[in-house]
Amino acid sequence: MPSYRYPVPPASEITPRNIFLNRRSFITGGASAIALAASGVNVLAQDQDARKLNAVASALSTDEAQNSYEDITTYNNFYEFGVDKSDPARYANQLTTDPWTIKVGGLVNNPREVGIEELLTGYDLEERVYRLRCVEGWSMVIPWVGISLASLIDKFDVQGSAKYVAFETLERPSEMPGQRAIFPVLPWPYVEGLRMDEAKHPLTILAVGLYGEVLPKQNGAPVRLVVPWKYGFKSIKSIVAINFVEEEPTATWHKQAPREYGFYSNVNPNVDHPRWSQKTERRIGGGLFNQRIDTQMFNGYEEQVGSLYENMDLTKFF
Ligand SMILES: Nc1nc2c(c(=O)[nH]1)N[C@H]1C(S)=C(S)[C@@H](COP(=O)(O)O)O[C@H]1N2
Ligand SMILES: [Mo]
């Protein structure tokens, strides 16, 4: 058993669902900070008492044992803060996440820059427990809190010509030591992309929390993408821009080493990375964890996403 389980709030803190829903229908028109805090969507909270998020359990969750909060928040890839797994936990606290806005643009009828609280207003947060499989060969099971990206896409009245969604991470060298290196390990800002059908797939979420609380900065606060059937690097952190585009957008690791990282980057045990096998993975953690297990096609989500790639040669479109 992981040492941290989903924190159960005391009964006094749980808003009865009917009151919660009434309050929500009341606030969908115009967002005031007070109403937002009441709805539980206070994803920028820094103060420990305010960090709890109301989330509804999702049927799309895996029931596998979850990694501990400690594993999930101390073993990270977030190169803006350094390349060691322990760097993000050490340095990400330098990042200012409040205020936070996201520029939504490209092929949409109402492009705009929107505050993260406003962006999330009107949605139920869900808890989605997903496997995350890193291209490096390790994996975790993480209880994210978020909303489906599809519901958000609907809000922006996307034009029919849009075929892809492009995402961009914050570029702020003053708070991101990895961006101050004289020889940068990656081109900044970190960017990623999805095909529109992938972006609209019900498994794809924007995460704003984990373990029932506001997202820790090392995990990509205040908002990051989670695409559970793709290698971890597709799940871009600390997003500041979302653009709907016609052509396949570039993606950071693909740009860095196109032979090693394709645009799709679907978890696929049958297509090796040119320098190592992808057939197995090590589940992070102590005790019963830390075992080498077989990697599953599409990270175990083949039934749900296999049809997206039906007529594609996955050795070519890797
Ligand atoms: N902006 C940004 N997003 C990023 C990365 C990064 O370096 N920068 N690393 C990616 C990689 S390689 C992985 S495995 C996951 C790790 O997410 P986690 O630390 O929350 O487990 O974040 C992805 N998102
Ligand atoms: Mo990764």
Side-chain angles (χ1 to χ4, degrees):
M1 288 284 279
S3 53
Y4 288 78
R5 301 294 302 180
Y6 187 88
V8 181
S12 61
E13 284 180 22
I14 301 171
T15 309
R17 190 159 167 78
N18 56 338
I19 297 176
F20 178 64
L21 290 176
N22 287 340
R23 203 146 64 190
R24 276 219 12 248
S25 55
F26 176 71
I27 63 167
T28 39
S32 84
I34 295 160
L36 281 164
S39 76
V41 187
N42 185 10
V43 298
L44 298 175
Q46 304 295 312
D47 156 17
Q48 192 49 43
D49 293 337
R51 290 175 65 85
K52 280 206 172 50
L53 297 171
N54 291 322
V56 181
S58 167
L60 295 169
S61 290
T62 171
D63 56 10
E64 279 165 282
Q66 296 164 24
N67 277 92
S68 70
Y69 186 82
E70 196 188 343
D71 288 341
I72 297 168
T73 59
T74 60
Y75 191 90
N76 302 102
N77 275 334
F78 198 168
Y79 278 19
E80 284 85 340
F81 295 101
V83 298
D84 282 356
K85 294 287 178 285
S86 56
D87 285 339
R90 200 173 301 157
Y91 301 118
N93 60 344
Q94 300 171 24
L95 180 66
T96 308
T97 54
D98 186 7
W100 194 272
T101 58
I102 299 185
K103 252 194 191 132
V104 182
L107 303 168
V108 293
N109 291 330
N110 50 346
R112 58 205 179 103
E113 183 160 357
V114 57
I116 178 74
E117 308 93 323
E118 190 195 339
L119 191 73
L120 295 170
T121 300
Y123 297 107
D124 277 326
L125 293 179
E126 277 183 47
E127 183 184 68
R128 296 279 188 98
V129 187
Y130 283 160
R131 288 176 286 279
L132 179 140
R133 204 302 195 169
C134 179
V135 75
E136 297 163 340
W138 51 267
S139 65
M140 293 199 211
V141 176
I142 303 178
W144 301 110
V145 175
I147 63 165
S148 80
L149 180 60
S151 57
L152 198 91
I153 288 177
D154 287 343
K155 190 166 171 168
F156 287 94
D157 200 4
V158 178
Q159 295 164 10
S161 52
K163 298 285 178 290
Y164 297 88
V165 192
F167 303 86
E168 209 174 292
T169 292
L170 179 72
E171 184 170 12
R172 191 184 286 160
S174 63
E175 294 182 352
M176 294 174 143
Q179 292 181 340
R180 297 199 293 269
I182 296 165
F183 302 103
V185 280
L186 289 174
W188 311 113
Y190 195 99
V191 293
E192 258 304 340
L194 294 174
R195 213 169 59 188
M196 194 61 101
D197 57 348
E198 300 175 321
K200 285 186 157 177
H201 191 280
L203 283 172
T204 304
I205 59 167
L206 284 180
V208 295
L210 63 83
Y211 265 114
E213 290 186 3
V214 170
L215 208 58
K217 292 179 181 178
Q218 57 269 41
N219 294 92
V223 60
R224 57 91 59 81
L225 185 68
V226 179
V227 195
W229 71 93
K230 293 178 180 281
Y231 290 117
F233 63 88
K234 292 298 279 187
S235 292
I236 182 172
K237 294 175 169 178
S238 303
I239 296 167
V240 293
I242 300 178
N243 280 294
F244 296 89
V245 296
E246 199 164 346
E247 305 288 329
E248 186 180 283
T250 183
T252 292
W253 282 101
H254 177 58
K255 192 161 44 171
Q256 181 78 349
R259 253 179 22 87
E260 303 189 13
Y261 309 102
F263 172 77
Y264 286 93
S265 303
N266 292 318
V267 174
N268 189 341
N270 307 316
V271 176
D272 290 343
H273 183 278
R275 292 182 283 132
W276 60 81
S277 162
Q278 296 289 17
K279 286 198 181 346
T280 65
E281 65 200 54
R282 184 172 60 89
R283 191 56 57 86
I284 295 296
L288 284 178
F289 289 84
N290 217 16
Q291 287 180 27
R292 212 154 246 296
I293 53 179
D294 287 342
T295 289
Q296 301 171 67
M297 188 64 199
F298 297 117
N299 204 19
Y301 301 98
E302 180 165 22
E303 208 177 295
Q304 294 99 315
V305 302
S307 63
L308 298 179
Y309 309 103
E310 230 154 40
N311 300 312
M312 290 173 65
D313 176 355
L314 298 181
T315 59
K316 206 168 144 214
F317 297 99
F318 58 90

